[in-house]
Amino acid sequence: MNNNEYSITIPHFYCLEYCEGEKKMVIEMDFREDYFLLEPQLITHWEKPYENVIIDVKERKKILQNIREFLLTKTLPSHIFMKDL
C-alpha cells in the first residue's frame, strides 16, 4: 500500500474511522458541532491486532492532515481548526 493511501468513513455522528491498509482507528469527533478541532490527542492507537504499533509525531501529523483534507469535502475551511503538534 502506498503511504498516501487511506480511507475515512463516518459510521456514527460521534466518530470517524481512519484506515491505512489493514490498520484501523476510531477517532472521536462530534459531527453535530459547527466546527472541528484537530489536535494530536485525537490520534490514540490502532485497533487490534495493531494496537501496539507506535504512532509517532510525524505519523500523527500525517493522519491529522488526511482528516483535514477529508473534512474539507464536508465543510468550510473556516470550520476546521488544527492545533500544532
Side-chain angles (χ1 to χ4, degrees), residues 22-38:
E22 298 291 317
K23 298 182 294 189
K24 175 177 86 170
M25 71 174 63
V26 175
I27 299 170
E28 293 182 25
M29 297 181 75
D30 191 341
F31 285 90
R32 299 170 296 177
E33 295 289 333
D34 293 333
Y35 66 92
F36 302 100
L37 178 60
L38 301 180

Side-chain angles (χ1 to χ4, degrees), residues 71-72 74-80:
L71 291 175
L72 285 171
K74 307 288 182 202
T75 190
L76 300 171
S78 60
H79 293 186
I80 304 169

Side-chain angles (χ1 to χ4, degrees), residues 22-76:
E22 298 291 317
K23 298 182 294 189
K24 175 177 86 170
M25 71 174 63
V26 175
I27 299 170
E28 293 182 25
M29 297 181 75
D30 191 341
F31 285 90
R32 299 170 296 177
E33 295 289 333
D34 293 333
Y35 66 92
F36 302 100
L37 178 60
L38 301 180
E39 55 189 341
Q41 297 89 300
L42 290 175
I43 311 304
T44 56
H45 63 277
W46 296 108
E47 298 292 312
K48 290 183 180 185
Y50 301 100
E51 71 273 16
N52 293 325
V53 174
I54 302 291
I55 306 171
D56 64 18
V57 173
K58 183 178 177 183
E59 176 94 3
R60 287 175 195 262
K61 188 171 187 174
K62 180 191 76 163
I63 292 169
L64 288 173
Q65 286 290 351
N66 290 342
I67 293 170
R68 181 180 185 278
E69 291 298 316
F70 172 78
L71 291 175
L72 285 171
T73 68
K74 307 288 182 202
T75 190
L76 300 171

